[in-house]
Amino acid sequence: MTLVEEINKRRTFGIVSHPDAGKTTLTEKLLLFGGAIQVAGAVKSNKIKKSATSDFMDIERQRGISVATSVMGFLYRDKQINILDTPGHKDFQEDTYRTLTAVDSAIVVIDVAKGVEPQTEKLVEVCKMRETPMIVFINKLDREGKDGFDLLDEVEQKINLKACPLSWPIGMGQRFKGVYNIYEKKLVLFNPHGKQEDIIEFTNLDDPELINHIGESAAEELREEVNMIQEIYPAFDKEAYLNGELNPVFFGSAINNFGVKELLDCFVEIAPKPLARQTEERIIQPDENKLSGFVFKIHANMDPKHRDRIAFLRVCSGEFKRNTNYLHVRNNKKMKFSNPTTFMASKKEIVESAFPGDIVGLYDSGNFKIGDALTEGEKVTFKGIPSFSPEMFRIVHNADPMKSKQLAKGLSQLMDEGVAQMFTKEFGGTIIIGTVGALQFDVIQYRLEHEYSAKCTYEPLHLHKACWLTSENDTEFKEFTQRRKRDLAKDKDGNLVFLAESAWQLKTMQETYPKVGFHFTSDF
Ligand code: G4P
């Protein structure tokens, strides 16, 4: 197969949702369709369980297991589908953000009863930053939930997506009869006893035959609602979807495997193949002959005696080959990999070659950090792998003065892995760790002790946000930095950051210094 054929065949995407909306269940059903797993439950058992929130070691262990599901690949209708797993657990949200930099599109799962929830909002926002095409799947139609039109309003107002319903539910909960597939003009009837769904071609909803399938009142309601949809919502336009300007919406019930096939069939038809990637130097097209790729996730191995890690590389152009020399751009060092690995659902295999859209796991002894590029010699820096402002902060103290070197090394490597973010105060050199979840503080403490023989203690610190700074006016910027000297720090890459104590303080600074840019991500 040629490189272009390999590229055209691939679809790499992520599923995002608020915990419990049904991401794991949907993933599993998709894998069953593709034959990647044979029984339900294979993915579920890898899921980080909610009950374990108090025990971080258990969560770390489960997270270790979940490496196995980092990428779930299967063939469906001649397409190689790669699903990148995004941890649902809130404390690992940063992992999810970064994984989203490696996908070409996303499916957003929403619970019909709960509607758009806070984590959905955040994740969609991250996808929007990169104009990632998104399809929405409204799940759990076998339960009572919100009205379909109200949900579409939420999708448009809360997460700013342009809804384009491609299927429409016929009732819900006890009265759920199925969906009308607007995209393919088919009536898909729900069978609650798990048998195959009935699919009936139905191009004209005015056909009196409709009553025989769903009854009179449901038929009338469906006709009225589909008419309304056609009046209110835009017709499907593939280009607009691919540009991130239009979002197809499907309804179904993942646990009942209902509406999942419609979603998948439409997905393979419309979802983008591996896309070009922006670097600081130029745009890299996937069909360029030379390899390029970037590391979007690093996972520490679970064996504390070895400091081995697995760096996950998204191939962006060319062909990745085993045992071939590539340039690690940041270190300006040639590296080759004797056992690059794919982590497909439940099996781990050494790969001889990989193509754009594929993810390869590279065993690493500490050379990689998130965002690193691998090429055949060209020096490029991939864009769009931002750090997000942490939500919790603590000051780090060295608890064993004899081990300050070990502490510095440990902290630096854990930050490279993306476990948390570290800021060094300009004034006094205080070290501050920022995380998304409280759990990470325990993880850091534990890993410093067990992997680096270093000990740290924490001092509580109340901060609102860390803001990366830009300047449009040197005088104003200087005035601001002098006035707020005590609140300035450098991130691990040496960028200047303002540590805002409160929303009020930040607002005041924004108003007083309008020519200073305050950013909540490091990528702007
Ligand atoms: P997540 O990965 O987004 O966190 O969600 P997950 O798939 O684990 O689903 C969360 C819960 O919702 C699970 O129930 C799951 O069985 C249920 N669920 C998923 N899809 C549907 C659906 O279409 N209809 C209904 N009624 N429920 C659905 P649980 O009780 O938390 O877990 P379990 O005991 O069923 O495994």
Side-chain angles (χ1 to χ4, degrees):
M1 227 189 278
T2 65
L3 177 61
V4 171
E5 283 167 340
E6 293 282 5
I7 295 167
N8 289 344
K9 198 177 143 183
R10 281 167 171 75
R11 299 288 179 273
T12 300
F13 76 107
I15 306 181
V16 296
S17 75
H18 191 90
D20 269 354
K23 180 172 74 76
T24 314
T25 313
L26 178 64
T27 307
E28 205 160 86
K29 300 298 174 190
L30 293 174
L31 293 179
L32 283 167
F33 270 116
I37 52 170
Q38 268 66 48
V39 285
V43 180
K44 199 121 198 153
S45 58
N46 283 336
K47 195 178 149 179
I48 296 171
K49 295 186 188 72
K50 285 157 280 181
S51 56
T53 41
S54 56
D55 182 351
F56 79 91
M57 269 317 288
D58 199 22
I59 292 206
E60 271 298 282
R61 191 180 48 76
Q62 289 186 43
R63 198 159 82 106
I65 299 169
S66 76
V67 172
T69 59
S70 287
V71 189
M72 291 163 282
F74 62 92
L75 266 180
Y76 184 75
R77 286 181 27 195
D78 290 336
K79 295 282 184 288
Q80 170 65 38
I81 318 261
N82 294 326
I83 310 183
L84 303 203
D85 192 28
T86 54
H89 197 287
K90 186 180 174 299
D91 285 8
F92 296 107
Q93 218 169 102
E94 280 250 26
D95 280 3
T96 302
Y97 295 159
R98 284 190 292 259
T99 298
L100 291 176
T101 64
V103 303
D104 297 303
S105 72
I107 293 180
V108 183
V109 183
I110 293 174
D111 182 322
V112 69
K114 297 197 176 130
V116 174
E117 295 175 85
Q119 222 160 301
T120 327
E121 287 183 45
K122 281 197 187 165
L123 294 167
V124 168
E125 207 178 296
V126 174
C127 289
K128 285 184 84 110
M129 281 170 61
R130 299 182 51 248
E131 290 160 359
T132 306
M134 283 177 265
I135 297 179
V136 176
F137 181 73
I138 296 184
N139 190 27
K140 308 196 186 180
L141 263 291
D142 57 312
R143 287 201 185 154
E144 282 307 325
K146 298 187 180 183
D147 170 75
F149 287 103
D150 289 348
L151 282 166
L152 294 182
D153 279 353
E154 268 189 41
V155 163
E156 297 217 316
Q157 279 153 25
K158 275 199 178 166
I159 44 178
N160 247 322
L161 296 183
K162 189 95 196 105
C164 172
L166 291 187
S167 80
W168 192 251
I170 308 167
M172 66 172 69
Q174 296 282 328
R175 298 165 294 111
F176 184 55
K177 291 200 162 61
V179 293
Y180 181 61
N181 185 336
I182 301 175
Y183 184 62
E184 290 184 21
K185 301 213 177 324
K186 282 178 184 158
L187 204 53
V188 189
L189 298 179
F190 177 56
N191 188 329
H193 305 297
K195 286 195 218 124
Q196 276 307 84
E197 54 205 20
D198 286 331
I199 302 175
I200 303 157
E201 298 275 344
F202 221 90
T203 38
N204 179 11
L205 285 180
D206 289 328
D207 188 332
E209 223 352 62
L210 185 62
I211 296 170
N212 297 338
H213 297 294
I214 59 175
E216 199 170 334
S217 70
E220 203 167 306
E221 205 176 327
L222 179 67
R223 285 180 187 127
E224 212 173 281
E225 291 180 342
V226 171
N227 273 338
M228 267 167 78
I229 289 167
Q230 277 152 0
E231 273 168 32
I232 305 173
Y233 295 97
F236 178 65
D237 172 352
K238 190 170 164 182
E239 272 313 295
Y241 155 71
L242 291 175
N243 292 333
E245 293 158 1
L246 189 73
N247 306 94
V249 180
F250 285 86
F251 290 82
S253 167
I255 197 127
N256 291 298
N257 209 356
F258 185 84
V260 178
K261 190 172 180 296
E262 284 68 33
L263 174 74
L264 183 58
D265 284 340
C266 177
F267 174 84
V268 289
E269 217 172 282
I270 68 171
K273 59 189 182 198
L275 300 172
R277 298 274 148 174
Q278 182 81 45
T279 69
E280 268 168 27
E281 295 74 15
R282 65 185 188 89
I283 291 174
I284 294 184
Q285 297 297 339
D287 59 357
E288 291 179 22
N289 282 327
K290 291 196 170 157
L291 171 95
S292 72
F294 67 88
V295 172
F296 65 94
K297 168 170 160 170
I298 293 177
H299 203 292
N301 238 346
M302 288 295 106
D303 183 352
K305 290 198 281 300
H306 300 278
R307 231 176 264 156
D308 276 16
R309 311 188 292 184
I310 301 160
F312 290 85
L313 181 90
R314 147 99 196 199
V315 179
C316 298
S317 66
E319 180 181 353
F320 175 93
K321 293 193 193 109
R322 185 182 171 199
N323 280 328
T324 303
N325 267 314
Y326 293 118
L327 177 70
H328 180 307
V329 175
R330 185 177 51 87
N331 287 353
N332 197 20
K333 204 170 97 183
K334 286 268 166 74
M335 293 179 86
K336 66 177 172 189
F337 304 91
S338 52
N339 49 359
T341 308
T342 48
F343 292 85
M344 298 300 188
S346 75
K347 64 174 194 280
K348 195 166 118 179
E349 275 175 359
I350 290 190
V351 282
E352 292 301 329
S353 70
F355 296 93
D358 286 344
I359 311 297
V360 218
L362 306 173
Y363 285 95
D364 167 45
S365 53
N367 291 302
F368 283 115
K369 68 182 193 179
I370 290 183
D372 276 347
L374 215 57
T375 68
E376 290 191 24
E378 191 179 349
K379 300 212 159 142
V380 291
T381 311
F382 283 90
K383 285 176 81 166
I385 307 151
S387 297
F388 292 81
S389 174
E391 291 172 11
M392 295 174 192
F393 300 85
R394 284 187 199 170
I395 296 172
V396 183
H397 292 294
N398 185 0
D400 183 352
M402 302 297 287
K403 299 282 172 65
S404 50
K405 256 194 182 161
Q406 284 88 333
L407 180 73
K409 183 171 182 195
L411 280 175
S412 160
Q413 291 212 344
L414 293 179
M415 299 310 124
D416 287 352
E417 268 181 44
V419 175
Q421 290 179 59
M422 190 165 83
F423 304 98
T424 312
K425 274 259 182 115
E426 286 282 88
F427 196 78
T430 309
I431 293 178
I432 295 167
I433 301 263
T435 67
V436 177
L439 195 68
Q440 309 295 22
F441 291 113
D442 296 343
V443 172
I444 292 167
Q445 218 165 26
Y446 182 91
R447 288 192 53 193
L448 281 174
E449 196 173 335
H450 289 83
E451 293 171 37
Y452 299 89
S453 308
K455 278 197 177 124
C456 78
T457 53
Y458 297 118
E459 184 185 328
L461 180 66
H462 289 286
L463 288 177
H464 169 58
K465 278 216 180 328
C467 306
W468 283 266
L469 300 168
T470 50
S471 155
E472 274 179 46
N473 177 304
D474 286 352
T475 322
E476 197 175 302
F477 192 73
K478 214 166 157 193
E479 197 188 310
F480 164 77
T481 50
Q482 271 177 354
R483 183 169 157 202
R484 303 287 5 154
K485 206 161 35 180
R486 287 177 174 275
D487 302 321
L488 295 181
K490 291 257 170 78
D491 73 4
K492 68 178 190 316
D493 300 318
N495 301 310
L496 199 61
V497 172
F498 170 56
L499 301 172
E501 277 169 16
S502 63
W504 177 83
Q505 186 206 37
L506 177 59
K507 191 164 165 274
T508 314
M509 289 303 120
Q510 283 168 321
E511 283 165 8
T512 319
Y513 301 103
K515 297 264 189 272
V516 176
F518 297 84
H519 308 270
F520 297 142
T521 71
S522 64
D523 200 55
F524 36 79

